[in-house]
Amino acid sequence: MSSTVLVAGSANLDFVVRAAHVPAPGETVLGRQFRTFPGGKGANQAVACARAGGADTRMLLALGEDDFARPIEASLGDAGVRLHVVRDAQLPTGTAFICLSDDAENAITVAPGANMALQPMHLPPLDGVLWLLLQLETPLDTVLAHARAARAAGVKVALNAAPAQVLPAELLAALDMLIVNEGELDVVAGHPPDLATGLARLQVPCVIVTLGARGCLARSEGRILVQPAFSIEPVDTTAAGDTFCGTLVASLARGQTLQQALLRASAASALACTRLGAQSSIPDHAEVAALLADTARVPGAAAHAALATACAL
């Protein structure tokens, strides 16, 4: 069976400045280090998927005809991602401006640029593709069209609903998996009073909610699965969610169970938080395997029970 994953989504060049804290409205903060990193939710997830190992990874993305596109293409190529690039001469390559505080919090402003040029007609042939992974940094109409085309072709569809927005029923109906954090769940599920209600409102076969430093949970086939987080000292959480998504789908594509995929995605996400940058922070298969082999660091049964209790599930 094919293990190919196609990621269709955004790619940005990230401009990152370190500062003591994220500025409040109207406040000017003196920063320290400044660096640029290839980023964008779609590209980050494609790199995470490729580095997870075992899944052939392709990506559909739109870039401008400018110098910002070059490091993005180089990073994706170095990770082993096969590219389907749409060029737009009228729009610049997408950019993101990130202030990273000393406590690993961040504030991000995205200028999508060429990402908005991605259209339904750009979806490449889906022959051999097992999963299509989508996000919401490209036009919603395009996301919907790509999801529908994949569903019609028998391809499984996963959506990371970020940045959060209300989703049309027809998009939810085209999904096999929805991945959200708690804030995104609140928006997508219509401000539920608790996690259980939010999960029940979403008519998607599998819904996964990431819970930051607590871990994650999934509702699938009438069951609730939980995965506590690995204990780490965070440096930069910028690509943690993207690392989780890409690793999760890659794990499922190569035949792992959902519980196994949640564990591996949580381990990869934890490692990503210990490094600076987006794609530069994403671990490879060997690094994740080494963390999982350290049984003292893998959350045990007691941690699983405590998370389930804390989530009132």
Side-chain angles (χ1 to χ4, degrees):
M1 178 182 292
S2 169
S3 61
T4 298
V5 176
L6 173 63
V7 181
S10 59
N12 300 322
L13 189 63
D14 293 347
F15 293 76
V16 182
V17 61
R18 297 293 299 266
H21 64 273
V22 174
E27 179 185 13
T28 298
V29 172
L30 187 62
R32 299 193 305 275
Q33 296 169 296
F34 168 76
R35 292 180 65 184
T36 59
F37 299 93
K41 288 187 177 298
N44 294 345
Q45 291 176 20
V47 168
C49 185
R51 288 185 184 161
D56 178 45
T57 307
R58 297 160 50 191
M59 184 178 181
L60 169 65
L61 68 162
L63 299 171
E65 294 184 352
D66 52 35
D67 290 342
F68 290 170
R70 294 174 186 169
I72 295 171
E73 291 180 272
S75 180
L76 288 162
D78 288 345
V81 180
R82 291 190 291 151
L83 302 182
H84 304 272
V85 181
V86 175
R87 299 284 180 188
D88 192 293
Q90 305 303 314
L91 293 171
T93 295
T95 51
F97 302 89
I98 303 171
C99 180
L100 175 64
S101 70
D102 288 342
D103 60 0
E105 294 300 320
N106 58 53
I108 304 174
T109 301
V110 175
N115 291 308
M116 291 296 102
L118 204 61
Q119 298 296 315
M121 63 185 176
H122 294 139
L123 189 70
L126 297 173
D127 299 340
V129 175
L130 182 60
W131 281 91
L132 173 67
L133 176 56
L134 303 162
Q135 319 78 35
L136 297 176
E137 286 187 331
T138 53
L140 186 60
D141 287 348
T142 300
V143 173
L144 174 58
H146 289 172
R148 282 175 162 170
R151 172 59 66 88
V155 175
K156 296 179 180 179
V157 182
L159 171 68
N160 174 215
Q165 60 180 284
V166 176
L167 300 178
E170 54 265 39
L171 176 55
L172 292 172
L175 302 180
D176 294 280
M177 177 178 289
L178 176 68
I179 308 168
V180 290
N181 63 25
E182 289 180 276
E184 292 152 3
L185 175 68
D186 184 64
V187 174
V188 174
H191 310 294
D194 50 50
L195 278 171
T197 303
L199 290 170
R201 285 182 182 177
L202 296 171
Q203 300 304 304
V204 177
C206 179
V207 179
I208 296 171
V209 184
T210 58
L211 306 168
R214 290 180 292 161
C216 63
L217 62 88
R219 189 261 296 147
S220 177
E221 299 178 345
R223 298 182 303 146
I224 298 292
L225 305 176
V226 298
Q227 176 57 57
F230 287 72
S231 179
I232 51 99
E233 289 294 330
V235 172
D236 180 4
T237 62
T238 300
D242 295 331
T243 300
F244 181 94
C245 294
T247 305
L248 178 83
V249 173
S251 299
L252 294 172
R254 66 172 184 263
Q256 292 193 322
T257 67
L258 180 57
Q259 187 72 70
Q260 290 170 330
L262 292 172
L263 174 63
R264 187 165 291 275
S266 296
S269 180
L271 289 171
C273 291
T274 65
R275 304 164 183 170
L276 186 64
Q279 290 162 35
S280 59
S281 73
I282 298 171
D284 62 22
H285 175 77
E287 292 172 300
V288 174
L291 176 56
L292 293 175
D294 186 352
T295 56
R297 298 186 64 187
V298 177
H304 281 76
L307 179 58
T309 299
C311 294
L313 297 170

